[in-house]
Amino acid sequence: MTVMTAPPLPFAPVVGVDVGPNAVLVEDTDGGRVFVFGVLSYAWDPDDEVGRRLAAVQLVDGKLAAVGDVAFAFAVTTVTVWRWRQDKATGGVAALVPEQKGPKRRHKLTDELVAEVRRRRDAGQTLQAIATRVGIAPSSVRRALDMTEPVPQPDVVDEAVAGDETVGVDEPDGVGEAGVVGELGPVPPLAVPAVRVAERAAARWGLLGEAPPVFTPCGSVPLAGLFTALPGIHASGLLQCARGVYTALPSGFYGLDTMLLEGVFRALAGQPRAEGATRFDPAVLGRVLGMDRGPEVKTIRRKIAQLAELGRAADLLGALAAHHLAGLEDAALVLYVDGHVRAYQGTRKVGKTHLARLRFPAPATVETWVSDAHGDPVLVVMAQPAASLAAEIRALLPELRRAVGDGRRVLVGFDRGGWSPALFREMFAAGFDSLTWRKGPIPDLPTAAFHPVTYTDELGRVHEWDLADTLVDLPLTDESVFPMRQVT
């Protein structure tokens, strides 16, 4: 069997140093960046030695590059890389902070300078403005502020108002009123979860319906790329439709929205099964959910079982289909229906179905998929074993009409598996038009019936055919006929 692989992605947008076959290191005046398989995975500022060391360690720990490749790219010895890994393993990221060389005291931060920094900070100056005025780096300004207790700002304002005076603020050249606004202080590299002990205790005794998400500030968020799925989740109507169908889960810490987002995020991260939650750090998954930690596998299974007991999965699918079709502004809807066979790998006894890929019968489930004119999914239902596509379409017609929600005619396309003149007549009566391939032998048409037809697609390509547009009568079992338009 031949395995086809996609070509590798470009590693980096600029020239850098190869870190083995999978990564590229780029270091310039803006700092450092590591691209893994073409994706920016690590970045640090020019003076952030901890971030640089952490990237080197994680490249080795994640088996993305060998120790020798990392040492060569980062211009250190293999012993240094080994020592960094040992420091992180024993003391965490904090152990990667480089030891201070030279004098062991802050020789620049004299008592007078620290007092001046505090005075300017209390007056509302930004860190950069203070650093420019006193001639030290912004990082030194932060250290000076950490050495002193802040003066309560309301007291300063009250004294100024009581004395009918204006507080003078020294501003660097070119800085107006916007420069007076104080900036946020330094944030932790990773979010420190909000304390949820009281909420968890209330949920334990059934006194909390669900805990709302709470996000805390941080410098970086692992799995933050999952946030890019939120617009798509909102457009699909998943959360809105689920609230209308299920109302809410039984009282507990993790609510309906949180569990649905957890399932979608986990599937997008490559772990669609509940057991896949064990492959994520609970704190990492909790950060993208706005929780102190992600739910455990037993919690996920219990919540899924609670939803399954309600037996409203079909109602949720119908609501999602109605939400999708309501957003289509076309006067005439176009839907495509097709059957799919999915090999079953579970432990239950499932009937065998012919698998085209394997070319022999095997345990499998049959699904009927409905998509719109753009190929976007609308509805998927489990089909009865050995059921024909014509029978599945007939059973889907009431559900499709409820999803459309109005009297618009719908053109339904399908392959020869749905060929049934009786079905065509039922669809027409229910407001559906059929589009399929003719099944069985048909008489030849005269040459005069064909005419040249051209079509220009959205890419500007011109397609030409010789087509015959005729009307045919399809015989039915009750000896009547059903007329249909035939394009040959």
Side-chain angles (χ1 to χ4, degrees):
M1 180 178 67
T2 302
V3 178
M4 303 299 293
T5 59
L9 293 173
F11 278 155
V14 294
V15 178
V17 180
D18 291 339
V19 188
N22 303 323
V24 170
L25 168 64
V26 179
E27 288 189 293
D28 49 27
T29 57
D30 295 330
R33 300 171 298 283
V34 176
F35 296 81
V36 179
F37 296 114
V39 179
L40 178 59
S41 303
Y42 307 98
W44 57 90
D45 294 331
D47 57 349
D48 186 7
E49 182 61 19
V50 177
R52 187 174 186 269
R53 295 182 180 185
L54 180 61
V57 170
Q58 291 185 340
L59 283 172
V60 178
D61 293 345
K63 303 186 184 305
L64 297 171
V67 174
D69 296 332
V70 173
F72 174 80
F74 284 78
V76 296
T77 65
T78 56
V79 176
T80 300
V81 176
W82 177 84
R83 188 175 68 251
W84 290 349
R85 296 181 65 196
Q86 292 297 317
D87 292 342
K88 180 179 179 297
T90 56
V93 178
L96 297 177
V97 177
E99 297 180 358
Q100 184 178 358
K101 298 180 181 179
K104 302 302 181 181
R105 59 184 179 87
R106 300 184 177 95
H107 59 285
K108 289 186 178 181
L109 297 180
T110 61
D111 295 340
E112 295 77 9
L113 184 60
V114 170
E116 177 68 12
V117 169
R118 170 53 61 188
R119 185 188 69 79
R120 291 179 177 272
R121 185 58 171 174
D122 292 340
Q125 292 190 31
T126 64
L127 299 183
Q128 185 60 51
I130 298 173
T132 303
R133 286 296 185 179
V134 302
I136 60 176
S139 58
S140 298
V141 175
R142 292 191 180 94
R143 288 196 297 271
L145 294 175
D146 292 339
M147 297 168 61
T148 61
E149 292 295 332
V151 178
Q153 188 67 24
D155 296 341
V156 175
V157 176
D158 292 342
E159 291 175 2
V161 174
D164 194 17
E165 299 176 354
T166 302
V167 178
V169 179
D170 294 332
E171 299 175 359
D173 296 338
V175 178
E177 291 298 328
V180 180
V181 180
E183 62 184 34
L184 291 176
V187 296
L190 295 176
V192 179
V195 179
R196 315 295 291 268
V197 177
E199 291 171 295
R200 287 190 174 274
R204 177 65 179 83
W205 296 101
L207 302 178
L208 179 68
E210 63 177 301
V214 177
F215 296 92
T216 55
C218 59
S220 62
V221 180
L223 299 179
L226 294 175
F227 289 139
T228 59
L230 290 176
I233 295 174
H234 176 74
S236 70
L238 174 61
L239 301 183
Q240 305 94 301
C241 295
R243 295 189 201 108
V245 173
Y246 293 107
T247 306
L249 282 168
S251 298
F253 186 78
Y254 298 103
L256 179 62
D257 288 359
T258 301
M259 295 308 302
L260 291 176
L261 287 176
E262 188 276 337
V264 174
F265 284 169
R266 180 165 34 81
L268 292 175
Q271 300 296 336
R273 298 172 62 86
E275 291 78 4
T278 59
R279 295 175 175 86
F280 299 100
D281 185 343
V284 171
L285 191 58
R287 289 188 183 99
V288 296
L289 294 173
M291 299 292 162
D292 51 354
R293 63 178 183 270
E296 299 180 359
V297 174
K298 62 180 182 180
T299 302
I300 297 174
R301 288 176 173 169
R302 184 177 72 253
K303 298 289 186 177
I304 292 176
Q306 291 172 348
L307 293 176
E309 290 176 356
L310 300 177
R312 298 176 184 173
D315 297 336
L316 177 60
L317 291 176
L320 289 172
H323 176 84
H324 181 80
L325 295 179
L328 301 180
E329 300 178 355
D330 300 337
L333 293 176
V334 179
L335 302 178
Y336 294 98
V337 182
D338 196 10
H340 293 267
V341 179
R342 186 190 302 271
Y344 180 71
Q345 308 293 340
T347 58
R348 295 180 180 272
K349 293 183 178 181
V350 177
K352 294 184 177 182
T353 303
H354 179 76
L355 297 175
R357 183 174 60 86
L358 301 178
R359 298 184 178 180
F360 64 83
T365 58
V366 182
E367 301 169 353
T368 302
W369 288 44
V370 181
S371 60
D372 62 15
H374 303 287
D376 295 330
V378 175
L379 186 66
V380 57
V381 297
M382 299 296 297
Q384 294 295 329
S388 65
L389 182 59
E392 287 301 307
I393 294 176
R394 181 180 285 107
L396 272 175
L397 292 181
E399 184 64 35
L400 292 178
R401 177 50 62 188
R402 284 194 295 269
V404 172
D406 52 36
R408 285 182 291 177
R409 295 199 67 83
V410 182
L411 178 63
V412 181
F414 44 90
D415 59 20
R416 289 184 178 89
W419 176 268
S420 171
L423 172 64
F424 303 154
R425 183 172 63 177
E426 293 180 22
M427 293 176 61
F428 182 79
F432 295 89
D433 298 318
S434 53
L435 173 65
T436 185
W437 297 93
R438 183 76 181 264
K439 190 174 184 178
I442 60 173
D444 293 336
L445 297 179
T447 304
F450 289 86
H451 303 281
V453 176
T454 61
Y455 170 73
T456 303
D457 61 20
E458 61 274 7
L459 299 179
R461 296 174 298 188
V462 179
H463 305 267
E464 298 180 355
W465 300 279
D466 289 333
L467 301 181
D469 193 345
T470 58
L471 192 67
V472 296
D473 292 330
L474 301 181
L476 301 174
T477 56
D478 58 359
E479 298 183 355
S480 60
V481 295
F482 180 71
M484 291 191 70
R485 178 187 179 190
Q486 174 178 291
V487 178
T488 308

